[in-house]
Amino acid sequence: MIPNRSPWLAQLNRSRPIVPLAEDRAADVAIVGGGIAGAVTAYFTLKNTDSSVVLIEADRVAHGATGHNAGQITSYFERPFESIVREFGLELASEGQRSIESAWGLLDEILADAALRTPVYRFTGYAGCSEFAQLVEHLEENKDRVAAGLAPETILIAKESGWEEALPLFYKDLYAMVPQEDLLALLETEDRRYFACIASQKGCMNSARFTEELMGYLMASYPGRFALFEETPVTRVVLSESHALLHTKPGHTVEARRVVLCTNGFEQFHIENQSGSDIDTNFHHLVQGRIGYMAGYLESMNAAPTAISYFPKGIPETGDPTGETYFYLTRRPHGEDAGEAKNLVCAGGPEQVLPNQALYTREDYCREDVRESLDEFLRTTYHHHPGTGTEYAFCWHGLMGYTPGGLRRIGIEPSNPVLLYNLGCNGVGILPSIFGGKRIARILSGETLERSIFDPVDQRCLT
Ligand SMILES: Cc1cc2nc3c(=O)[nH]c(=O)nc-3n(C[C@H](O)[C@H](O)[C@H](O)COP(=O)(O)OP(=O)(O)OC[C@H]3O[C@@H](n4cnc5c(N)ncnc54)[C@H](O)[C@@H]3O)c2cc1C
């Protein structure tokens, strides 16, 4: 039986006592959820407005998805860019992509401003394709990027693939041909089934440690305007025309002019809208749960940090975590073990759709069969892998909330503007959470913002 043990929580360096809500409180802004979205939303709200902020976390800071992810910083959507263009038009779609990419700069701003010590590694990351159709999908995406005025990604195709002859001429300027040997070196594999590779800017960080450190900074920098309460589940949010009343367990309330849900989508509370149509029913169907599984082992510090994804042949949409899927690995320094500097190599990819109404339990053991499939992927793909019998220091799972459109919800609830959202993990959430935090602070400071692909959908349209 393998317990759910994440490397990010193992390195949290937490020293604060847990302070639950012990009396009724009032604040200008209440934020529900103490993951990276809640922390960054609090940061920009405190920095860019005069509002007081109360942040309420059901468990402990950063112990949700933020503490159980792959820790890869990346700006792609878990949905083809082309389908976003089709839904929203080229201009809005490209603005959405630019927004997520702008979060790299926001991350730098936070790191410098708060003098955070959480390491952030930046590098060019790679994705390997083994099928012609996968290559065409990425070329299409690149074509849309160019049309939208975004920087194209670098696409390399192996000369040995024979794929170039089959490509329409209009893709000609969007790729380069290289010997397969060079491409496999970038993908750090000897698996000769990979014939194309996409290069893009990526990074790695421990988002849990970042969140924990940021909370410490906010508490120290804004003692009169910021308060954090942990182990305080919100059970009910009652919205009126001018304010919200948050009911918590075991019984205290927080009254606020605005409330921002940064709950990743999984909330276990009810929303009662006394000033408009029902929000609760549709809100609770907004997200579908998927459990993501990961494993990691320590190796000598023999190579630089990286992030590589692999698209093997024939990816089925089964939702079966042991079935073939796309896999990814990250490698980054992880301190010392027995006096020797170590890299942490993590692999992920298998996911399981959470059946409707089923409850996810963080304490559940990791699935042995899933760990074995991750081990097999690394053994057969990653050229540094030491082979059979590798000991995995970490094995963990986390809950992702997928919105129907696969896009994060950031903005005002159309049925009652007292309520705002920065939620919807959608598998890639670090940069979107950061961008979302800034956008929410801009709204709270009174700015009127342009429409965006992240705007919450009017719940009344969903009935
Ligand atoms: C397995 C896995 C791998 C991932 N890999 C990556 C990756 O490589 N790169 C990337 O960018 N993203 C990745 N993600 C997504 C990313 O981790 C998340 O999008 C991001 O951490 C979301 O942060 P959050 O603050 O929105 O949610 P969370 O970190 O889940 O925080 C939400 C918080 O709200 C609290 N909460 C919920 N309900 C209540 C309530 N009623 N009262 C009070 N508090 C409440 C929860 O306890 C929780 O702490 C991954 C996610 C998973 C699960």
Side-chain angles (χ1 to χ4, degrees), residues 32-343:
V32 186
I36 188 169
V40 174
T41 303
Y43 167 82
F44 282 118
T45 304
L46 290 161
K47 185 174 174 180
N48 299 348
T49 75
D50 294 330
S51 300
S52 56
V53 174
V54 165
L55 196 152
I56 306 153
E57 165 55 47
D59 188 324
R60 268 171 294 160
V61 159
H63 278 58
T66 300
H68 294 90
N69 57 20
Q72 189 185 140
I73 312 174
T74 180
S75 57
Y76 63 83
F77 294 102
E78 289 257 79
R79 166 181 175 183
F81 184 62
E82 172 263 322
S83 76
I84 303 176
V85 173
R86 237 184 306 124
E87 183 176 344
F88 295 95
L90 190 62
E91 204 176 310
L92 270 189
S94 53
E95 195 44 47
Q97 182 66 61
R98 251 189 288 276
S99 300
I100 300 301
E101 289 171 17
S102 75
W104 283 102
L106 298 175
L107 175 60
D108 283 339
E109 177 184 336
I110 300 170
L111 291 168
D113 206 18
L116 302 188
R117 294 170 59 197
T118 303
V120 176
Y121 304 99
R122 283 164 209 226
F123 42 76
T124 301
Y126 301 97
C129 301
S130 59
E131 286 185 347
F132 183 70
Q134 296 161 358
L135 168 68
V136 171
E137 199 177 296
H138 284 99
L139 285 168
E140 263 307 296
E141 180 135 352
N142 237 7
K143 191 156 72 61
D144 285 334
R145 285 184 70 92
V146 172
L150 297 161
E153 292 181 329
T154 302
I155 298 186
L156 306 173
I157 305 175
K159 286 178 177 156
E160 294 84 339
S161 62
W163 286 355
E164 191 178 25
E165 293 83 77
L167 284 174
L169 269 180
F170 52 76
Y171 290 138
K172 188 87 190 115
D173 297 332
L174 297 174
Y175 63 85
M177 301 301 294
V178 297
Q180 188 183 25
E181 227 38 68
D182 295 0
L183 193 142
L184 296 182
L186 296 174
L187 294 173
E188 304 201 20
T189 187
E190 281 151 24
D191 187 339
R192 304 194 77 81
R193 286 175 301 173
Y194 290 97
F195 282 120
C197 158
I198 296 95
S200 55
Q201 191 192 0
K202 293 203 176 172
C204 277
M205 79 167 176
N206 178 342
S207 61
R209 190 166 163 187
F210 167 86
T211 301
E212 176 62 31
E213 244 198 308
L214 185 56
M215 290 291 192
Y217 165 79
L218 296 179
M219 292 169 80
S221 304
Y222 300 97
R225 284 209 287 141
F226 179 62
L228 164 67
F229 300 102
E230 296 174 283
E231 295 193 353
T232 303
V234 170
T235 52
R236 202 152 61 97
V237 177
V238 181
L239 302 170
S240 72
E241 199 183 328
S242 59
H243 70 276
L245 193 64
L246 276 59
H247 296 262
T248 69
K249 217 156 121 187
H252 299 294
T253 58
V254 174
E255 189 180 333
R257 284 193 296 110
R258 308 297 284 274
V259 53
V260 190
L261 299 184
C262 298
T263 52
N264 188 15
F266 293 88
E267 63 304 306
Q268 289 164 41
F269 55 75
H270 289 290
I271 302 172
E272 190 181 318
N273 188 11
Q274 295 180 340
S275 175
S277 56
D278 174 48
I279 295 169
D280 204 47
T281 317
N282 284 317
F283 178 77
H284 286 270
H285 290 105
L286 194 74
V287 267
Q288 184 188 49
R290 278 193 218 174
I291 304 171
Y293 295 88
M294 311 220 44
Y297 70 90
L298 298 172
E299 67 178 14
S300 313
M301 203 177 284
N302 52 8
T306 194
I308 312 176
S309 306
Y310 302 86
F311 296 93
K313 281 183 186 289
I315 304 169
E317 291 279 331
T318 58
D320 170 7
T322 55
E324 208 175 1
T325 176
Y326 94 94
F327 288 96
Y328 48 87
L329 73 79
T330 59
R331 180 180 61 226
R332 72 197 75 186
H334 189 77
E336 292 194 351
D337 186 39
E340 194 198 341
K342 293 284 184 186
N343 268 335

Side-chain angles (χ1 to χ4, degrees), residues 285 307 402 460:
H285 290 105
Y402 277 75
R460 289 162 292 192

